[in-house]
């Protein structure tokens, strides 16, 4: 049985500065999603000269927008406060309806968009360290 999960670390500095790198990462994420895989994109720990946290959040949100414009999904989890708000904007949601609490500090929402492929998307928003270790598996179920 093939594992449905793929964990990919992306370089936040390169995402913001190298369009070819960002496009290649988006294309790979879309390919994996197209195969029915769950893709977890995480930022690598920045080096001493890495981007500011805000710039890393913006670059990560832009990557999310690139991916979902090409390969919409029905469920999406976004971690990190700044990344969550920027990510919702990057995928052209005009609103979120509160659905409930999955775990302390972790909200489940339904996204609203003029894009029919994204309207109704289930979104999990969580602060960086919020939620139990099995949170992603619980959300997937």
């Amino acid at each position: 049985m093939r594992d449905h999960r793929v964990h990919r670390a992306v370089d936040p500095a390169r995402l913001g500065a190298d369009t070819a790198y960002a496009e290649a990462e988006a294309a790979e994420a879309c390919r994996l999603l197209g195969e029915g895989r769950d893709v977890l994109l995480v930022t690598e720990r920045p080096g001493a000269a890495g981007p500011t946290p805000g710039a890393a959040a913006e670059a990560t949100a832009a990557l999310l927008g690139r991916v979902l414009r090409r390969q919409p999904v029905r469920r999406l989890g976004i971690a990190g406060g700044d990344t969550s708000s920027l990510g919702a904007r990057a995928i052209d949601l005009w609103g979120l309806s509160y659905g409930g609490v999955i775990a302390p500090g972790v909200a489940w929402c339904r996204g609203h968009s003029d894009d029919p492929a994204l309207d109704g998307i289930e979104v999990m928003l969580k602060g960086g360290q919020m939620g139990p270790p099995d949170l992603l598996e619980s959300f997937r179920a």
Side-chain angles (χ1 to χ4, degrees):
M1 175 184 214
R2 181 172 79 166
D3 190 357
H4 61 273
R5 296 164 294 182
V6 177
H7 180 261
R8 290 191 55 84
V10 296
D11 181 337
R14 286 187 69 195
L15 282 177
D18 183 347
T19 303
Y21 174 76
E23 285 296 324
E25 288 298 331
E28 180 61 7
C30 289
R31 182 187 71 75
L32 293 165
L33 289 167
E35 291 178 356
R37 311 284 291 274
D38 291 344
V39 179
L40 177 62
L41 298 173
V42 299
T43 53
E44 295 175 341
R45 183 182 198 110
T52 66
E58 287 178 19
T60 305
L63 175 61
L64 176 62
R66 279 186 164 101
V67 171
L68 292 189
R69 278 190 288 282
R70 296 178 206 165
Q71 186 71 46
V73 298
R74 295 311 312 153
R75 297 186 113 191
L76 171 69
I78 308 175
D82 290 340
T83 304
S84 292
S85 59
L86 293 169
R89 286 187 203 126
I91 61 171
D92 298 324
L93 297 180
W94 56 259
L96 293 169
S97 295
Y98 177 72
V101 173
I102 297 174
V106 183
W108 171 85
C109 301
R110 182 160 312 279
H112 304 287
S113 175
D114 291 330
D115 180 347
L118 293 173
D119 192 47
I121 188 173
E122 294 180 31
V123 182
M124 177 185 68
L125 303 170
K126 66 179 234 56
Q129 301 304 316
M130 306 304 277
D134 64 347
L135 178 66
L136 296 177
E137 277 301 315
S138 296
F139 181 63
R140 184 182 190 280

XYZ file of all heavy atoms in Angstrom, residues 27-79:
379
model
N 4.493 23.229 -9.450
C 4.229 22.165 -10.423
C 4.331 20.787 -9.775
O 3.507 19.901 -10.033
C 5.196 22.280 -11.602
N 5.328 20.599 -8.912
C 5.488 19.304 -8.246
C 4.336 19.052 -7.286
O 3.801 17.938 -7.217
C 6.823 19.243 -7.512
C 7.076 17.943 -6.781
C 7.127 16.698 -7.660
O 7.094 16.792 -8.906
O 7.172 15.594 -7.085
N 3.920 20.053 -6.538
C 2.783 19.892 -5.629
C 1.520 19.547 -6.422
O 0.756 18.658 -6.022
C 2.575 21.160 -4.800
N 1.309 20.208 -7.548
C 0.138 19.919 -8.389
C 0.187 18.499 -8.935
O -0.837 17.807 -8.968
C 0.051 20.926 -9.540
S -0.418 22.585 -9.024
N 1.359 18.055 -9.338
C 1.509 16.691 -9.851
C 1.129 15.682 -8.772
O 0.365 14.742 -9.015
C 2.948 16.447 -10.322
C 3.174 15.057 -10.921
C 4.629 14.787 -11.206
N 5.421 14.601 -10.005
C 5.406 13.498 -9.249
N 4.633 12.479 -9.555
N 6.170 13.408 -8.174
N 1.636 15.890 -7.569
C 1.349 14.975 -6.464
C -0.129 15.000 -6.091
O -0.732 13.945 -5.862
C 2.223 15.331 -5.260
C 3.719 15.092 -5.458
C 4.522 15.817 -4.383
C 4.027 13.602 -5.475
N -0.719 16.179 -6.027
C -2.148 16.273 -5.737
C -2.971 15.578 -6.820
O -3.961 14.913 -6.520
C -2.576 17.737 -5.599
C -2.086 18.452 -4.343
C -2.296 19.955 -4.479
C -2.777 17.904 -3.105
N -2.546 15.730 -8.073
C -3.222 15.085 -9.190
C -3.184 13.567 -9.105
O -4.065 12.878 -9.631
N -2.181 13.038 -8.415
C -2.077 11.593 -8.180
C -2.915 11.149 -6.985
O -2.910 9.973 -6.626
C -0.617 11.205 -7.904
C 0.296 11.322 -9.092
C 1.741 10.963 -8.729
O 2.037 10.694 -7.537
O 2.577 10.950 -9.650
N -3.587 12.095 -6.346
C -4.399 11.763 -5.183
C -3.628 11.746 -3.879
O -4.115 11.227 -2.875
N -2.445 12.311 -3.879
C -1.614 12.343 -2.673
C -1.962 13.549 -1.819
O -2.426 14.569 -2.320
C -0.134 12.419 -3.057
C 0.334 11.414 -4.093
C 0.531 10.011 -3.596
N 1.631 9.817 -2.709
C 2.876 9.577 -3.099
N 3.191 9.517 -4.368
N 3.815 9.399 -2.194
N -1.749 13.445 -0.518
C -1.843 14.572 0.403
C -0.467 15.214 0.444
O 0.533 14.518 0.661
C -2.211 14.106 1.809
C -3.627 13.574 1.897
O -4.421 13.834 0.980
O -3.925 12.896 2.887
N -0.407 16.503 0.258
C 0.876 17.195 0.194
C 0.986 18.148 1.371
O 0.119 18.999 1.576
C 1.022 17.970 -1.136
C 2.348 18.698 -1.189
C 0.879 17.023 -2.323
N 2.046 18.002 2.135
C 2.350 18.893 3.238
C 3.573 19.704 2.848
O 4.679 19.171 2.750
C 2.617 18.097 4.515
C 3.014 18.889 5.750
C 1.888 19.842 6.159
C 3.362 17.948 6.896
N 3.367 20.980 2.578
C 4.466 21.883 2.249
C 4.853 22.634 3.509
O 4.012 23.267 4.137
C 4.045 22.881 1.164
C 3.656 22.285 -0.179
C 3.088 23.360 -1.098
C 4.851 21.607 -0.826
N 6.107 22.544 3.881
C 6.614 23.239 5.061
C 7.833 24.048 4.670
O 8.564 23.676 3.755
C 6.963 22.263 6.207
C 5.744 21.490 6.668
C 8.062 21.314 5.787
N 8.032 25.143 5.359
C 9.222 25.942 5.066
C 10.408 25.382 5.838
O 10.285 24.973 6.996
C 9.016 27.422 5.432
O 8.569 27.508 6.783
C 8.004 28.074 4.513
N 11.539 25.365 5.155
C 12.778 24.978 5.812
C 13.154 26.060 6.813
O 12.755 27.216 6.677
C 13.911 24.865 4.783
C 13.723 23.768 3.778
C 14.805 23.779 2.704
O 15.472 24.819 2.519
O 14.964 22.748 2.051
N 13.926 25.697 7.786
C 14.421 26.685 8.743
C 15.340 27.657 7.997
O 16.309 27.235 7.372
C 15.179 25.996 9.868
C 15.659 26.943 10.911
C 16.456 26.207 11.990
N 16.531 27.057 13.149
C 15.904 26.836 14.280
N 15.146 25.769 14.401
N 16.016 27.665 15.280
N 15.030 28.948 8.049
C 15.871 29.899 7.317
C 17.241 30.044 7.958
O 17.385 29.902 9.176
C 15.084 31.212 7.392
C 14.169 31.054 8.545
C 13.915 29.588 8.717
N 18.219 30.315 7.123
C 19.562 30.576 7.620
C 19.632 31.968 8.229
O 18.630 32.686 8.325
N 20.808 32.357 8.637
C 20.999 33.663 9.284
C 20.548 34.807 8.388
O 20.052 35.820 8.869
C 22.462 33.829 9.674
N 20.703 34.647 7.088
C 20.321 35.710 6.150
C 18.955 35.438 5.528
O 18.642 35.969 4.477
C 21.377 35.832 5.056
N 18.162 34.608 6.187
C 16.851 34.245 5.647
C 15.883 35.409 5.645
O 16.167 36.491 6.177
N 14.713 35.196 5.067
C 13.715 36.267 4.998
C 13.114 36.546 6.377
O 13.192 35.711 7.276
C 12.660 35.695 4.053
C 12.759 34.217 4.249
C 14.223 33.952 4.497
N 12.506 37.694 6.511
C 11.771 37.989 7.740
C 10.587 37.024 7.824
O 10.162 36.467 6.805
C 11.246 39.435 7.726
O 10.271 39.550 6.674
C 12.365 40.443 7.546
N 10.042 36.821 9.015
C 8.872 35.945 9.114
C 7.728 36.402 8.206
O 7.049 35.578 7.592
C 8.484 36.026 10.594
C 9.774 36.312 11.286
C 10.523 37.226 10.344
N 7.519 37.711 8.091
C 6.458 38.219 7.217
C 6.711 37.898 5.759
O 5.797 37.512 5.029
N 7.960 38.043 5.323
C 8.304 37.733 3.928
C 8.170 36.236 3.660
O 7.726 35.822 2.585
C 9.720 38.208 3.607
N 8.542 35.413 4.631
C 8.383 33.959 4.471
C 6.909 33.593 4.368
O 6.523 32.763 3.531
C 9.044 33.228 5.639
N 6.063 34.228 5.189
C 4.622 33.962 5.134
C 4.053 34.395 3.784
O 3.227 33.686 3.193
C 3.906 34.675 6.284
N 4.466 35.540 3.275
C 3.988 36.007 1.971
C 4.404 35.061 0.855
O 3.601 34.738 -0.029
C 4.512 37.414 1.687
C 3.837 38.482 2.509
C 4.401 39.867 2.252
O 5.054 40.076 1.217
O 4.176 40.738 3.100
N 5.650 34.604 0.880
C 6.141 33.701 -0.163
C 5.417 32.365 -0.110
O 5.068 31.786 -1.151
C 7.648 33.508 -0.017
N 5.169 31.863 1.088
C 4.463 30.594 1.245
C 3.015 30.721 0.781
O 2.484 29.833 0.105
C 4.520 30.142 2.712
O 5.887 30.088 3.119
C 3.898 28.781 2.891
N 2.379 31.834 1.119
C 1.000 32.065 0.678
C 0.934 32.167 -0.844
O 0.002 31.639 -1.463
C 0.451 33.336 1.324
N 1.912 32.824 -1.441
C 1.935 32.923 -2.904
C 2.072 31.531 -3.529
O 1.437 31.236 -4.549
C 3.072 33.841 -3.356
N 2.885 30.665 -2.926
C 3.013 29.291 -3.418
C 1.673 28.576 -3.323
O 1.248 27.898 -4.275
C 4.078 28.537 -2.624
C 4.242 27.057 -2.952
C 4.647 26.847 -4.412
C 5.264 26.420 -2.006
N 0.982 28.736 -2.224
C -0.338 28.129 -2.068
C -1.285 28.607 -3.166
O -2.001 27.809 -3.775
C -0.911 28.461 -0.691
C -2.317 27.977 -0.403
C -2.392 26.460 -0.466
C -2.776 28.493 0.950
N -1.275 29.906 -3.441
C -2.113 30.441 -4.516
C -1.779 29.834 -5.864
O -2.678 29.468 -6.631
N -0.489 29.697 -6.150
C -0.068 29.086 -7.421
C -0.608 27.666 -7.546
O -1.078 27.257 -8.594
C 1.460 29.014 -7.502
C 2.151 30.252 -7.911
C 3.661 29.928 -8.075
N 4.319 30.968 -8.816
C 5.053 31.920 -8.268
N 5.229 31.952 -6.960
N 5.620 32.831 -9.025
N -0.496 26.916 -6.453
C -0.924 25.512 -6.487
C -2.434 25.407 -6.681
O -2.915 24.690 -7.562
C -0.476 24.778 -5.198
C -1.105 23.397 -5.114
C 1.045 24.685 -5.141
N -3.206 26.124 -5.877
C -4.659 25.941 -5.916
C -5.321 26.558 -7.146
O -6.425 26.150 -7.500
C -5.301 26.458 -4.638
C -4.970 25.633 -3.399
C -5.809 26.068 -2.215
C -5.144 24.154 -3.639
N -4.667 27.485 -7.801
C -5.215 27.972 -9.079
C -5.145 26.876 -10.145
O -5.973 26.819 -11.040
C -4.471 29.222 -9.549
C -4.974 30.505 -8.885
C -4.402 31.745 -9.515
N -3.003 31.956 -9.216
C -2.535 32.437 -8.068
N -3.362 32.741 -7.091
N -1.247 32.603 -7.887
N -4.165 26.003 -10.030
C -3.994 24.918 -11.006
C -4.645 23.615 -10.572
O -5.058 22.812 -11.406
C -2.504 24.649 -11.218
C -1.779 25.806 -11.809
C -0.313 25.478 -11.952
N 0.462 26.691 -11.927
C 1.760 26.740 -11.745
N 2.447 25.638 -11.561
N 2.391 27.891 -11.749
N -4.648 23.369 -9.275
C -5.108 22.070 -8.755
C -5.954 22.300 -7.504
O -5.485 22.128 -6.383
C -3.885 21.197 -8.425
C -4.201 19.792 -8.021
C -4.696 18.953 -9.156
O -4.129 18.957 -10.238
N -5.751 18.212 -8.930
N -7.201 22.708 -7.671
C -8.054 22.946 -6.496
C -8.233 21.672 -5.675
O -8.166 20.560 -6.202
C -9.384 23.392 -7.101
C -9.059 23.833 -8.487
C -7.892 22.998 -8.927
N -8.429 21.848 -4.389
C -8.676 20.740 -3.471
C -9.957 21.038 -2.703
O -10.448 22.162 -2.708
C -7.494 20.534 -2.488
C -6.214 20.187 -3.246
C -7.277 21.757 -1.614
N -10.502 20.030 -2.049
C -11.722 20.237 -1.254
C -11.407 20.511 0.212
O -12.229 21.038 0.932
C -12.650 19.014 -1.357
C -13.191 18.764 -2.738
C -13.794 19.953 -3.475
N -14.742 20.768 -2.743
C -14.968 22.060 -2.974
N -14.325 22.696 -3.909
N -15.843 22.728 -2.269
N -10.210 20.092 0.679
C -9.803 20.323 2.066
C -8.398 20.882 2.077
O -7.528 20.395 1.361
C -9.818 19.023 2.867
C -11.190 18.416 2.959
C -11.184 17.243 3.860
N -11.999 17.661 5.002
C -12.079 17.011 6.118
N -11.381 15.926 6.314
N -12.857 17.439 7.082
N -8.202 21.891 2.930
C -6.915 22.577 3.003
C -6.614 22.928 4.444
O -7.477 23.474 5.140
C -6.983 23.859 2.159
C -5.808 24.830 2.270
C -4.559 24.214 1.645
C -6.161 26.148 1.587
N -5.424 22.627 4.896
C -4.971 23.042 6.218
C -3.866 24.068 6.050
O -2.962 23.875 5.250
N -3.967 25.158 6.799
C -2.933 26.198 6.772
C -2.491 26.451 8.200
O -3.310 26.711 9.071
C -3.443 27.516 6.154
C -4.095 27.291 4.792
C -2.284 28.506 6.020
C -4.718 28.555 4.190
N -1.184 26.367 8.431
C -0.633 26.594 9.766
C 0.155 27.892 9.787
O 0.816 28.247 8.813
C 0.272 25.428 10.163
